């Protein structure tokens, strides 16, 4: 028979005990000490789990038992039991758990050895076989299934002889309480209600059959590499693709990681961290998306503010969809420029009051500007009563010469309607001249760092202006 006992892990729990009580309890668990401890220098400073006092069985039972081991459980911060500590230090002695004690008795004449290093537990050996533990001496439990994966038998059936005497022959039997009211129920990865006694059975089975999950220091290194690698992939790829592709890229990469992680766990029993790499990928994607949204909205607002008075709304929206079509700064392109000017504007202005002149000019400029916008032209500027418009920029228009000619013809037709209207209203007769020229010119933001305009410059621009002027003679 191997007896179980437990340790007080807090000094508060031992406040009622005298030093003699603690020493007496420690003496009764002497048969659970590691018989061989190999320690390097400074091994006493290793970060092992330490106990304050033991709560042994009755003296008559403790003295009669061949072996004993503690059955303390240590849940993770989320309350789930994933690890089983195989070493707990009390005073100057190192003690093994109930699972180890049971195996030592089952594997008769077995030797167990504890190796300590400066950083913690290096290894635990049963005979020459190493048990994979972390630096705190904890074994990652490989749960073989949900509750009752191991056969359960009621003690009542044993007492009343309802079971075959050969049922337990050459078997390891873990005796414990499973009734709900006794509250030896634990939270495990399989269930929130899992018999505590079966947790020990899983540990015994893992070591006996060498069926381990691995989460060693090198696996932790792989976890760190996965966090860095996948974080870099998301961080470098998402900003280089469109937003929609970024979503599919991120979700696809997460799905590949989850599938690969799961397959490695199933086939190689290596437990790689899944949460932190996924959280890293999601966080980086969200940060990039938020940053892009803020910067792109700011850029769109800037572009809209710069061009809403010079371009029709459809052209502005087209630029906002693909800002790469707009090259800020000087860029040589083949464009068409149009100048229009009212003939004899000085004479007309002398015949009208300032208010009447403003109304006339606004009505004229509105009608002419609507025609420019109708053909997606860029209203470069008003020069007094003159209009300067550009076609072929900032978005490409292969038919920009034809567009400009249609604008000019429609301007003349519209002006004829305005002339008849103004004649009936007793306003002066207004006539215009139009000059058009196509050729290479520089287009972009021109001006100073403080203030600039999107415009065109070059000899072909000047020629268009000269053509408008020469139409007074031709």
């Amino acid at each position: 028979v191997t007896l179980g006992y437990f340790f007080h892990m807090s000094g508060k729990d031992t406040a009622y005990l005298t030093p003699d009580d603690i020493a007496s309890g420690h003496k009764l668990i002497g048969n659970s000490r590691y018989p061989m401890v190999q320690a390097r220098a400074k091994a006493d400073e290793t970060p092992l789990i330490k106990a304050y006092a033991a709560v042994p069985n009755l003296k008559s039972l403790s003295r009669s038992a061949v072996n004993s081991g503690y059955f303390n459980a240590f849940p993770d911060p989320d309350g789930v039991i994933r690890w089983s500590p195989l070493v707990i230090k009390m005073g100057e002695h190192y003690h093994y758990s109930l699972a180890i004690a049971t195996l030592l008795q089952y594997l008769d004449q077995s030797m167990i050895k504890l190796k300590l290093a400066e950083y913690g537990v290096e290894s635990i050996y049963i005979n020459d076989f190493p048990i994979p533990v972390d630096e705190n001496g904890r074994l990652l439990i490989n749960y073989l299934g949900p509750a009752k994966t191991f056969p359960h038998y009621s003690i009542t059936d044993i007492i009343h002889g309802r079971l075959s005497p050969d049922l337990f022959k050459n078997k390891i039997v873990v005796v414990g309480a499973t009734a709900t009211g006794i509250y030896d129920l634990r939270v495990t990865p399989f269930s929130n209600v899992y018999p505590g006694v079966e947790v020990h059975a899983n540990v015994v089975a893992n070591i006996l059959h060498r069926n381990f999950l691995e989460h060693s220091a090198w696996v932790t290194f792989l976890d760190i590499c996965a966090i860095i690698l996948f974080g870099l992939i998301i961080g470098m790829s998402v900003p280089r693709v469109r937003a929609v592709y970024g979503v599919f890229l991120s979700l696809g990469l997460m799905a590949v990681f989850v599938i690969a992680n799961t397959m490695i766990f199933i086939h190689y029993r290596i437990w790689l961290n899944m949460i932190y790499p996924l959280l890293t990928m999601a966080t980086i994607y969200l940060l990039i998306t938020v940053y892009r949204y803020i910067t792109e909205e700011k850029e769109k607002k800037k572009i809209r503010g710069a061009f809403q008075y010079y371009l029709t709304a459809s052209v502005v929206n087209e630029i906002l969809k693909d800002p790469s079509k707009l090259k800020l700064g000087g860029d040589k392109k083949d464009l068409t420029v149009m100048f229009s000017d009212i003939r004899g504007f000085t004479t007309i202005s002398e015949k009208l009051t300032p208010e009447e002149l403003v109304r006339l000019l606004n009505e004229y400029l509105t009608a002419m500007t609507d025609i420019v916008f109708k053909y997606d032209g860029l209203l470069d500027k008003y020069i007094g009563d003159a209009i300067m418009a550009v076609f072929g920029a900032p978005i490409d228009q292969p038919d920009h010469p034809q567009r400009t000619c249609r604008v000019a013809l429609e301007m003349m037709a519209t002006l004829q309607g305005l002339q008849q209207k103004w004649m009936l209203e007793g306003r002066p007769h207004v006539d215009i001249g139009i000059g058009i020229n196509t050729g290479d010119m520089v287009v972009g933001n021109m001006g100073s760092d403080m203030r600039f305009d999107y415009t065109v410059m070059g000899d072909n621009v000047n020629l268009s202006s000269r053509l408008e002027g020469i139409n007074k003679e031709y």
Side-chain angles (χ1 to χ4, degrees):
V1 174
T2 295
L3 287 180
Y5 64 89
F6 74 93
F7 280 119
H8 284 304
M9 307 307 297
S10 170
K12 295 180 181 179
D13 297 333
T14 61
Y16 67 94
L17 297 175
T18 64
D20 290 339
D21 293 333
I22 295 174
S24 176
H26 198 191
K27 184 177 180 180
L28 291 175
I29 63 168
N31 56 3
S32 70
R33 297 172 185 170
Y34 277 89
M36 295 180 63
V37 179
Q38 181 179 340
R40 297 181 185 176
K42 300 182 180 179
D44 289 340
E45 302 174 6
T46 55
L48 292 176
I49 300 172
K50 293 180 175 60
Y52 286 82
V55 181
N57 290 271
L58 299 175
K59 290 183 180 180
S60 57
L61 296 178
S62 297
R63 289 169 179 167
S64 301
V66 174
N67 208 353
S68 66
Y70 60 85
F71 51 74
N72 293 68
F74 297 89
D76 285 346
D78 59 356
V80 180
I81 296 179
R82 298 184 179 90
W83 302 84
S84 176
L86 304 185
V87 184
I88 290 182
K89 184 179 182 181
M90 180 178 172
E92 299 299 322
H93 298 284
Y94 302 90
H95 297 268
Y96 44 71
S97 66
L98 177 63
I100 294 291
T102 304
L103 282 167
L104 289 177
Q105 187 165 346
Y106 181 76
L107 304 171
D108 193 23
Q109 303 299 321
S110 293
M111 290 298 297
I112 187 165
K113 179 172 66 174
L114 172 66
K115 293 183 69 175
L116 299 176
E118 294 87 344
Y119 59 85
V121 177
E122 182 177 314
S123 60
I124 296 174
Y125 285 86
I126 292 184
N127 295 329
D128 294 328
F129 174 70
I131 302 172
V133 292
D134 67 0
E135 63 273 10
N136 292 313
R138 302 182 306 167
L139 171 70
L140 183 61
I141 304 173
N142 182 13
Y143 286 95
L144 303 183
K148 296 192 177 181
T149 296
F150 296 91
H152 282 228
Y153 300 96
S154 172
I155 193 70
T156 303
D157 293 334
I158 297 174
I159 292 173
H160 292 91
R162 300 189 188 113
L163 302 176
S164 169
D166 296 330
L167 183 64
F168 303 112
K169 187 176 181 180
N170 295 324
K171 297 290 194 302
I172 294 175
V173 181
V174 185
V175 182
T178 58
T180 303
I182 299 177
Y183 201 70
D184 186 26
L185 299 176
R186 306 293 178 176
V187 179
T188 68
F190 270 100
S191 172
N192 291 334
V193 181
Y194 194 94
V197 66
E198 201 164 346
V199 174
H200 300 289
N202 276 281
V203 177
V204 172
N206 290 170
I207 300 174
L208 183 63
H209 301 293
R210 304 182 182 182
N211 184 16
F212 301 113
L213 295 179
E214 189 165 353
H215 190 75
S216 58
W218 74 270
V219 176
T220 303
F221 174 73
L222 289 180
D223 290 335
I224 297 172
C225 291
I227 293 172
I228 296 173
L229 176 63
F230 286 98
L232 286 175
I233 293 175
I234 293 290
M236 297 177 67
S237 302
V238 172
R240 288 174 166 77
V241 299
R242 297 177 63 181
V244 176
Y245 298 141
V247 174
F248 289 112
L249 175 65
S250 301
L251 292 178
L253 196 61
M254 290 180 185
V256 168
F257 175 76
V258 170
I259 293 172
N261 192 303
T262 304
M263 297 305 292
I264 291 172
F265 182 82
I266 292 173
H267 293 287
Y268 300 101
R269 297 196 294 273
I270 297 175
W271 179 33
L272 294 169
N273 194 297
M274 186 180 293
I275 297 300
Y276 289 116
L278 288 176
L279 189 62
T280 299
M281 287 187 274
T283 302
I284 291 175
Y285 171 76
L286 289 175
L287 289 175
I288 292 174
T289 302
V290 171
Y291 175 78
R292 287 177 64 172
Y293 176 79
I294 293 174
T295 54
E296 287 180 7
E297 283 299 312
K298 184 178 179 180
E299 187 66 22
K300 286 181 179 181
K301 185 177 180 181
K302 180 180 177 181
I303 294 173
R304 190 183 297 276
F307 288 95
Q308 63 179 338
Y309 299 109
Y310 308 105
L311 294 168
T312 181
S314 62
V315 178
V316 175
N317 291 333
E318 189 68 24
I319 294 173
L320 294 179
K321 290 179 184 177
D322 187 6
S324 63
K325 294 180 179 179
L326 176 62
K327 285 191 175 180
L328 301 179
D331 189 16
K332 189 176 182 180
K333 294 184 69 176
D334 181 69
L335 306 172
T336 300
V337 180
M338 183 193 76
F339 282 87
S340 71
D341 185 45
I342 295 177
R343 295 288 179 254
F345 182 73
T346 304
T347 304
I348 294 173
S349 63
E350 292 173 350
K351 297 178 181 179
L352 300 173
T353 64
E355 292 80 4
E356 292 172 337
L357 180 63
V358 169
R359 283 196 298 270
L360 176 70
L361 195 57
N362 285 344
E363 188 175 356
Y364 162 76
L365 292 176
T366 299
M368 300 298 113
T369 302
D370 289 343
I371 298 171
V372 173
F373 285 171
K374 177 181 175 182
Y375 290 91
D376 295 333
L378 166 66
L379 177 66
D380 191 297
K381 60 176 66 72
Y382 296 123
I383 310 170
D385 61 301
I387 297 174
M388 177 182 174
V390 181
F391 292 82
I395 61 173
D396 293 332
Q397 297 168 331
D399 60 340
H400 55 84
Q402 292 90 338
R403 286 174 182 259
T404 315
C405 292
R406 292 191 184 99
V407 169
L409 293 173
E410 198 163 321
M411 279 183 168
M412 299 304 296
T414 301
L415 180 62
Q416 291 177 5
L418 289 175
Q419 288 171 343
Q420 295 177 6
K421 176 178 177 291
W422 290 335
M423 183 179 66
L424 295 175
E425 294 175 356
R427 297 187 185 183
H429 179 79
V430 174
D431 204 355
I432 64 172
I434 298 175
I436 299 173
N437 187 43
T438 298
D440 290 338
M441 55 195 73
V442 177
V443 59
N445 276 331
M446 311 293 178
S448 66
D449 293 337
M450 298 293 293
R451 183 177 178 86
F452 51 82
D453 288 315
Y454 190 83
T455 186
V456 291
M457 297 179 68
D459 290 340
N460 284 304
V461 180
N462 298 334
L463 179 55
S464 178
S465 178
R466 298 293 181 266
L467 291 173
E468 180 276 317
I470 204 69
N471 280 339
K472 295 176 183 177
E473 305 298 331
Y474 297 95

